[in-house]
Amino acid sequence: MKPIEKTTANNWMLDNSLHSSAEKSSCHPNLKMFLAALSFAYFAKALSGSYMKSTITQLERRFDIPSYLIGIIDGSFEIGNLLVIAFVSYFGAKLHRPKIIALGCVLMSFGTFLIAMPHFLIGSYKIHTAVRPSLNSSGVLSPCSPGPPESAVTGCEQESSVSMWIYVFLGNVLRGIGETPVQPLGISYIDDYARSENAAVYIGCVQTISVIGPVFGYLLGSLCAKIYVDVGNVDMETVTITPGDARWVGAWWLGYIVTGVVTLTSAVPFWFLPKSLPVPVEKHDSSCSSEQARFIRDSPRMQHKFRQEEPADLHQMAKDFIPTLKSLLGNPVYILYLCVTIIQFNSLIGMVTYKPKYIEQHYGLSASKANFLMGIINIPAVALGMFSGGLLMKNCKMGIMGAAKFAFGTSLLGYFLSLFFFAMGCENAKVAGVTAPYIGAESLSHQERSLFSECNWGCSCSRREWDPVCGSNGITYVSPCLAGCTASSGSGRNTVFENCRCVTVPDALLVNLTASLGQCPRGGSCEHVFPYFLALSVLSSFIISLGGTPGFMLLIRCIKPELKSLALGIHTLATRTLAGIPAPIYFGAIIDSTCLQWGYKPCGGKGACRIYNTSAYRIVYLGLTLGLRTVSFFLCILGFAVLKRQIKMEERSTLATGNTEQESLKKDENSSGQCEQFILALNSNSDRETRL
């Protein structure tokens, strides 16, 4: 370089060094906007996803389907992901990532609206009950009356809700397709353009916002579960059941309209964001000064390092896909990480999907209260844990091995705490002929014949009817007819059944024992156990979620920089295909096996379960959840050995490369020579794996 040109260049670089240091102190304005937009998109998708979980019970009852079928509907979201995740992650990383995310949000909103559509296509929800809707009803109501039982196929031709759950299935598939680009493209965009030391905090913030979404999702589910499904179309005075009844269906469709609007709004900011941003200077090799690095950035040979918008060569991208995929799957740390997370996600997804139902059935709470407690107590603990994990990772400056150990330790501690859930059980609710014998009966078998006893043999009762009443002896009866009630007084929710021959109290002289609507409250020790269950649930959720962000950063840092988007996409694909789809199905099937009394459809066939064996439910639900996590811990031990070996190999490789570069730098004394070698080093070492 000539003296005048060298002086000019040095003055130019010195003048711009202040701007370089200013850039290092804060992130780019467009990156801040992208962070805000991505956080809102995460919130929207978490809101709709958690609301789907909160409506599990409502959908079961509305469409009269068992839990395993609900598991298929829930897993359809992952099916949508499976269809496009690999291609979106690979091709999307080379195209305009913000606009692809925006398109995904639009598809998510359309899918959410489609889920709500069946409500507007089918008729009113019908409840079969022996209760008179109003005082104006004529005739004397006698549940126990001689004569043939009612036909099981009455109104069969008019029933059209049998296949309406298909709309929910398809809408959830569309939601899954739309959600696909949000995580892999969003996280890789942040990691590309954020400073290395801030990336963990930014990702932790986004993940935290995504956990806040379920808070509002479950609260929205709680609110909608209180509102009757056909509100505005029926006279509420004629509705004789309460939210605590096993037949109650809330306004499940209303929440999907709300979440659809929110998701559609989240797409707007992404349309105005650029394809690429300036890469922070400190992400380059430190052998050059900040002024030299800035000069390199603006040189023509370094334009591709700063994500300049160039026409995408789709043919070349497609040609490189298979070799790139082989390179990614050849990383043993990444493969073991996939195996561990697949198993743990099976445990997590199955547990979260049916936890509100577990609370309902085990502790006797309504769907509204169960969703409220999930949203206001449990989910905030998870959000706090994930955010705290990100801060701990930054403040403690964890390396890749430190992050792995921290994530493993928190998961193991949460596992040991979860073992105490087995001790926090409740006895089965006392239901005559199902979980408790009729007074005077010697034994009980869980067969339909046990619903009949001497006290109701003269009644034309249906074995398939579920219209529970609470006897004055504290025992629930499947229906007023099976309770042997021969008369009633009042109407609507105030109906009282009288002269119930099966409602007897040993050694009592009372003749006219009565029964009121609904199941008897559990009471007893169950009410005292539930607060401890909540406290332990919050504590274990917080501890486990502490390792969420370090574990996620381990995934990003154990692979090559150019493979980040594809690695995140394959990770999402694998966990959702092998965990998100099957887990709700086999968890639901196992839970169905603990059902004691099924509901039946008007045309015949099994419907939704009305009451479960809570002891068996607790054992299979908790046992399967913790059993899967036990298996994952054995793979973690193998993963630590492989990760430790790979880190040592990388350190040796880095040391050898550093010595070679030092020897070459000694041969050149001017700064321009150093920078020229830095350019060559960047081009030759582009495949070097990153470290924390």
Side-chain angles (χ1 to χ4, degrees):
M1 180 181 290
K2 295 179 181 180
I4 296 177
E5 293 176 345
K6 183 175 181 179
T7 302
T8 303
N10 288 336
N11 291 337
W12 179 85
M13 289 187 289
L14 182 63
D15 181 62
N16 283 277
S17 62
L18 295 175
H19 297 284
S20 177
S21 60
E23 286 181 358
K24 293 173 70 174
S25 63
S26 61
C27 65
H28 195 278
N30 281 337
L31 181 59
K32 292 181 179 179
M33 183 181 293
F34 183 84
L35 279 171
L38 187 65
S39 297
F40 187 44
Y42 262 67
F43 172 83
K45 76 184 185 70
L47 176 71
S48 59
S50 59
Y51 183 75
M52 165 63 82
K53 302 288 186 187
S54 75
T55 58
I56 289 293
T57 305
Q58 313 296 317
L59 295 175
E60 276 187 25
R61 297 171 182 173
R62 184 64 185 93
F63 300 110
D64 253 333
I65 53 179
S67 295
Y68 84 89
L69 196 51
I70 277 292
I72 294 176
I73 293 174
D74 188 69
S76 63
F77 178 86
E78 322 300 345
I79 294 175
N81 267 264
L82 171 63
L83 296 175
V84 296
I85 183 67
F87 300 101
V88 167
S89 300
Y90 181 71
F91 292 104
K94 302 175 184 299
L95 301 174
H96 200 300
R97 284 180 280 187
K99 288 187 178 179
I100 294 177
I101 294 174
L103 182 61
C105 291
V106 172
L107 289 177
M108 272 197 294
S109 66
F110 287 169
T112 308
F113 292 138
L114 182 60
I115 293 175
M117 186 181 293
H119 173 75
F120 303 97
L121 300 179
I122 58 179
S124 300
Y125 178 55
K126 296 179 179 63
I127 303 169
H128 298 280
T129 179
V131 180
R132 288 181 298 179
S134 67
L135 289 171
N136 296 328
S137 300
S138 59
V140 177
L141 177 64
S142 177
C144 176
S145 57
E150 294 182 5
S151 174
V153 296
T154 302
C156 177
E157 295 180 359
Q158 288 76 27
E159 182 60 57
S160 61
S161 65
V162 176
S163 59
M164 282 294 162
W165 61 267
I166 294 295
Y167 287 94
V168 182
F169 178 89
L170 294 176
N172 215 26
V173 169
L174 191 57
R175 277 188 59 242
I177 294 174
E179 191 267 352
T180 303
V182 177
Q183 179 178 343
L185 300 189
I187 296 299
S188 63
Y189 194 91
I190 291 175
D191 196 61
D192 282 346
Y193 302 120
R195 295 174 61 192
S196 299
E197 64 269 25
N198 291 334
V201 177
Y202 292 159
I203 293 174
C205 289
V206 172
Q207 298 283 4
T208 301
I209 296 295
S210 72
V211 180
I212 293 176
V215 174
F216 291 91
Y218 279 104
L219 291 179
L220 180 62
S222 175
L223 175 63
C224 293
K226 288 182 180 179
I227 304 171
Y228 188 63
V229 59
D230 293 318
V231 63
N233 294 328
V234 298
D235 181 6
M236 293 304 296
E237 293 296 327
T238 64
V239 179
T240 58
I241 59 175
T242 63
D245 195 289
R247 296 164 294 171
W248 175 272
V249 176
W252 59 273
W253 53 273
L254 183 60
Y256 286 110
I257 295 177
V258 174
T259 56
V261 172
V262 172
T263 307
L264 186 61
T265 306
S266 69
V268 175
F270 290 104
W271 296 109
F272 303 99
L273 287 166
K275 178 182 178 181
S276 60
L277 297 174
V279 178
V281 175
E282 64 273 13
K283 285 199 172 184
H284 300 293
D285 198 293
S286 58
S287 61
C288 290
S289 65
S290 60
E291 294 87 350
Q292 293 166 333
R294 189 175 184 86
F295 176 78
I296 292 169
R297 184 187 70 180
D298 294 327
S299 66
R301 298 184 62 178
M302 291 298 295
Q303 292 297 323
H304 68 285
K305 296 293 182 184
F306 289 84
R307 314 298 196 274
Q308 295 298 315
E309 298 190 20
E310 299 175 357
D313 188 349
L314 295 179
H315 176 73
Q316 185 63 35
M317 289 161 57
K319 185 178 179 181
D320 294 340
F321 178 72
I322 298 300
T324 303
L325 185 62
K326 287 182 178 178
S327 175
L328 176 64
L329 299 181
N331 187 331
V333 176
Y334 180 73
I335 295 299
L336 281 171
Y337 184 94
L338 271 184
C339 294
V340 170
T341 52
I342 285 170
I343 296 174
Q344 290 201 347
F345 269 55
N346 270 274
S347 173
L348 176 66
I349 292 171
M351 184 268 293
V352 171
T353 300
Y354 295 102
K355 189 169 186 178
K357 185 173 182 176
Y358 177 80
I359 295 174
E360 291 175 45
Q361 296 294 329
H362 207 74
Y363 298 102
L365 273 65
S366 67
S368 176
K369 289 182 180 178
N371 288 329
F372 177 80
L373 291 172
M374 282 286 291
I376 205 69
I377 296 177
N378 203 271
I379 303 299
V382 176
L384 181 61
M386 295 190 72
F387 182 73
S388 301
L391 289 180
L392 283 172
M393 186 174 182
K394 179 183 179 182
N395 295 334
C396 297
K397 298 181 179 179
M398 294 181 192
I400 191 169
M401 180 60 77
K405 290 180 178 178
F406 185 77
F408 176 77
T410 55
S411 182
L412 188 62
L413 180 57
Y415 170 83
F416 287 128
L417 288 175
S418 299
L419 293 174
F420 289 100
F421 285 129
F422 283 104
M424 298 180 179
C426 293
E427 296 181 356
N428 287 318
K430 293 183 178 180
V431 181
V434 180
T435 61
Y438 286 94
I439 300 299
E442 295 181 357
S443 62
L444 173 68
S445 62
H446 298 307
Q447 303 294 329
E448 286 187 333
R449 292 179 182 178
S450 65
L451 293 175
F452 294 96
S453 182
E454 293 181 1
C455 60
N456 57 30
W457 273 351
C459 306
S460 58
C461 304
S462 171
R463 296 175 178 180
R464 299 185 172 188
E465 186 179 45
W466 178 262
D467 189 15
V469 291
C470 178
S472 53
N473 58 355
I475 296 178
T476 299
Y477 296 83
V478 173
S479 69
C481 182
L482 290 170
C485 303
T486 58
S488 67
S489 61
S491 64
R493 296 184 182 181
N494 299 318
T495 300
V496 176
F497 297 95
E498 301 172 340
N499 299 328
C500 301
R501 293 177 302 198
C502 296
V503 183
T504 58
V505 179
D507 303 325
L509 299 177
L510 293 175
V511 177
N512 183 21
L513 291 176
T514 62
S516 57
L517 292 176
Q519 290 183 240
C520 297
R522 287 178 179 269
S525 61
C526 197
E527 294 181 353
H528 303 293
V529 170
F530 185 62
Y532 294 101
F533 170 83
L534 277 183
L536 184 61
S537 179
V538 169
L539 180 60
S540 61
S541 298
F542 172 77
I543 291 175
I544 293 173
S545 60
L546 274 175
T549 301
F552 196 77
M553 292 304 297
L554 172 63
L555 167 63
I556 293 177
R557 299 303 186 188
C558 75
I559 43 89
K560 299 174 183 178
E562 65 272 18
L563 299 179
K564 277 183 295 190
S565 292
L566 182 61
L568 288 168
I570 296 298
H571 174 262
T572 305
L573 169 67
T575 53
R576 288 181 169 173
T577 303
L578 302 177
I581 295 175
I585 299 174
Y586 66 75
F587 263 82
I590 291 176
I591 290 171
D592 283 340
S593 69
T594 67
C595 183
L596 296 177
Q597 180 70 21
W598 289 95
Y600 290 88
K601 300 176 182 180
C603 299
K606 201 160 50 176
C609 184
R610 301 306 187 190
I611 185 170
Y612 292 87
N613 183 335
T614 54
S615 298
Y617 193 152
R618 180 177 71 256
I619 292 172
V620 300
Y621 173 74
L622 296 177
L624 187 56
T625 299
L626 297 178
L628 289 168
R629 288 169 62 184
T630 302
V631 174
S632 72
F633 290 144
F634 289 104
L635 286 177
C636 285
I637 296 173
L638 177 62
F640 277 120
V642 175
L643 179 62
K644 186 175 181 181
R645 185 183 65 181
Q646 183 162 322
I647 289 176
K648 287 183 178 179
M649 292 175 59
E650 184 180 340
E651 287 176 349
R652 287 196 216 97
S653 175
T654 303
L655 184 61
T657 304
N659 292 336
T660 303
E661 290 178 352
Q662 262 190 343
E663 292 176 3
S664 61
L665 287 174
K666 288 179 181 179
K667 298 178 182 179
D668 300 315
E669 296 180 355
N670 56 68
S671 59
S672 61
Q674 293 178 14
C675 292
E676 183 66 20
Q677 290 189 11
F678 169 57
I679 296 171
L680 295 174
L682 281 175
N683 291 328
S684 62
N685 295 331
S686 59
D687 289 340
R688 186 183 300 170
E689 296 184 1
T690 58
R691 295 173 295 162
L692 284 173

